[in-house]
């Protein structure tokens, strides 16, 4: 069962396996909003968590494939949980120490092999310098060469490679959130705007389309004929609840914007019976 963590209306998926299943099995795109551990100061490529649209999260919950949960980590830990957490910390420190010792052994072996390969070259260079200084062959430099090969190698702890955990071994304490009733963590339930958006989203999704947020093009959704990694959006969906006013200037602006980005504007109006009426708009201009 997919766990969707909700916080103040945002629906987040932290598991990489769940995020992959959501995209491949259910054709839901979402948006990656997390910083990458190796490149935290850029925003060109992002990572987990995957943030879902409220409509995407509700669809998964309605299909029975996901549950909405909230974290309760702010509550104090029980005595047994504190002991368990302390043992996990000690185990992690032990793993770090074992990793350091292994890295030091491997680095020392690599250093010894490198010095062995370069021993003749080092000896030639020192013999040449002794000859330039007019010193006799051998002497203290020979012992220095042997000491260089036999000296122990110490890997600075600041140079060791550390594996950064990206997932918990335990999910932590969570409680289920009822998506059918409004709450601080899920305020979308019974909201008229959300209901209208969801009916439009579900209708288009049932027809086999991929959908994503459409705010960057002034709409509610962008509608794709296939995976957005391979296709451009064909439609900009605008949700128009029955009886809601639609100013002419907004209608003209939407049509012209859609034409300028080579997309068709869809006016989507869900009815109380559950059906959705679609009207397409394209700006023809002066011919």
């Amino acid at each position: 069962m997919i766990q969707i963590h909700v916080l103040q209306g945002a629906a987040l998926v932290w598991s990489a396996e769940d995020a992959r299943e959501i995209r491949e099995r259910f054709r839901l795109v979402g948006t990656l909003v997390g910083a990458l551990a190796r490149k935290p100061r850029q925003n060109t490529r992002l990572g987990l968590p995957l943030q879902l649209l409220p409509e995407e999260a509700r669809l998964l919950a309605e299909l029975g494939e996901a549950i909405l949960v909230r974290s309760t980590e702010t509550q104090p830990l029980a005595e047994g949980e504190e002991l368990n957490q302390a043992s996990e910390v000690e185990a992690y420190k032990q793993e770090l120490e074992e990793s350091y010792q292994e890295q030091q052994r491997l680095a020392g072996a690599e250093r010894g092999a490198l010095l062995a390969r370069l021993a003749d070259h080092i000896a030639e260079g020192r013999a040449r310098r002794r000859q330039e200084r007019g010193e006799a062959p051998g002497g203290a430099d020979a012992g220095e060469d042997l000491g260089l090969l036999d000296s122990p190698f110490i890997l600075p702890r600041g140079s060791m490679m550390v594996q950064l955990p990206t997932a918990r071994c335990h999910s932590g304490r969570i409680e289920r959130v009822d998506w059918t009733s409004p709450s601080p963590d899920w305020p979308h339930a019974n909201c008229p705007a959300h209901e209208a958006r969801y009916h439009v989203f579900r209708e288009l999704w049932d027809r086999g389309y991929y959908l994503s947020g459409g705010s960057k093009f002034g709409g509610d959704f962008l509608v794709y004929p296939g995976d957005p990694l391979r296709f451009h959006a064909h439609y900009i969906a605008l949700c128009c609840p029955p009886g809601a006013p639609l100013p002419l200037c907004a209608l003209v602006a939407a049509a012209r914007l859609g034409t300028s980005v080579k997309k068709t504007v869809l006016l989507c109006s869900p009815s109380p019976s559950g059906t959705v009426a679609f009207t397409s708009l394209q700006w023809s201009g002066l011919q």
Side-chain angles (χ1 to χ4, degrees):
M1 182 69 69
I2 298 173
Q3 288 187 357
I4 302 176
H5 296 255
V6 295
L7 177 64
Q8 296 181 354
L12 305 174
V13 177
W14 291 91
S15 169
E17 291 77 11
D18 289 346
R20 180 175 180 177
E21 182 181 6
I22 287 171
R23 190 181 190 100
E24 294 181 352
R25 182 180 171 192
F26 299 105
R27 294 183 285 106
L28 300 177
V29 179
T31 305
L32 293 171
V33 296
L36 297 179
R38 293 183 178 272
K39 295 182 178 180
R41 297 183 182 274
Q42 55 82 44
N43 59 2
T44 303
R45 293 187 178 184
L46 300 177
L48 294 175
L50 176 73
Q51 182 171 355
L52 300 175
L53 295 173
E55 293 74 27
E56 293 174 323
R58 176 176 171 179
L59 174 62
L60 290 172
E62 276 195 358
L63 295 175
E65 300 291 345
I67 58 173
L68 273 58
V69 298
R70 61 181 294 272
S71 174
T72 59
E73 291 294 335
T74 54
Q75 299 179 3
L77 296 176
E79 182 177 356
E81 292 178 340
E82 290 181 355
L83 295 176
N84 185 40
Q85 190 178 62
S87 64
E88 291 180 355
V89 171
E90 290 300 324
Y92 177 69
K93 290 182 179 179
Q94 180 65 25
E95 290 179 3
L96 286 180
E97 182 61 26
E98 293 175 356
S99 176
Y100 170 73
Q101 297 297 335
E102 178 69 12
Q103 290 182 48
Q104 179 169 264
R105 184 185 65 80
L106 294 175
E110 184 177 355
R111 174 178 177 270
L114 178 61
L115 290 177
R117 291 196 302 269
L118 299 177
D120 294 339
H121 181 72
I122 294 174
E124 291 175 0
R126 288 184 172 174
R128 185 171 57 254
R129 288 195 297 272
R130 286 195 299 268
Q131 185 178 5
E132 292 174 354
R133 294 195 300 264
E135 299 177 356
D141 284 347
E144 185 179 351
D145 292 343
L146 294 176
L148 182 63
L149 293 173
D150 297 335
S151 62
F153 174 74
I154 304 299
L155 175 69
R157 289 188 176 269
S159 301
M160 69 174 290
M161 293 184 292
V162 179
Q163 181 178 2
L164 298 176
T166 57
R168 294 183 178 184
C169 56
H170 305 293
S171 60
R173 293 191 295 172
I174 57 176
E175 63 181 14
R176 193 162 182 171
V177 175
D178 183 10
W179 59 269
T180 62
S181 60
S183 66
D185 292 303
W186 190 252
H188 311 290
N190 301 326
C191 176
H194 170 72
E195 294 297 328
R197 285 169 53 93
Y198 179 73
H199 282 93
V200 172
F201 182 93
R202 183 65 186 265
E203 177 67 22
L204 293 171
W205 184 83
D206 286 337
R207 297 190 182 198
Y209 291 104
Y210 284 72
L211 292 96
S212 68
S215 58
K216 63 181 178 181
F217 288 134
D220 291 292
F221 305 111
L222 293 179
V223 186
Y224 300 80
D227 194 306
L229 293 177
R230 300 178 56 192
F231 296 89
H232 289 289
H234 283 191
Y235 306 102
I236 303 174
L238 290 175
C239 300
C240 306
L246 184 61
L248 181 60
C249 58
L251 193 63
V252 172
R256 296 196 63 171
L257 175 59
T259 302
S260 66
V261 295
K262 300 180 180 180
K263 305 184 192 310
T264 299
V265 175
L266 279 182
L267 299 181
C268 313
S269 181
S271 65
S273 62
T275 61
V276 180
F278 296 99
T279 303
S280 62
L281 297 177
Q282 285 184 320
W283 182 266
S284 60
L286 298 176
Q287 301 296 333

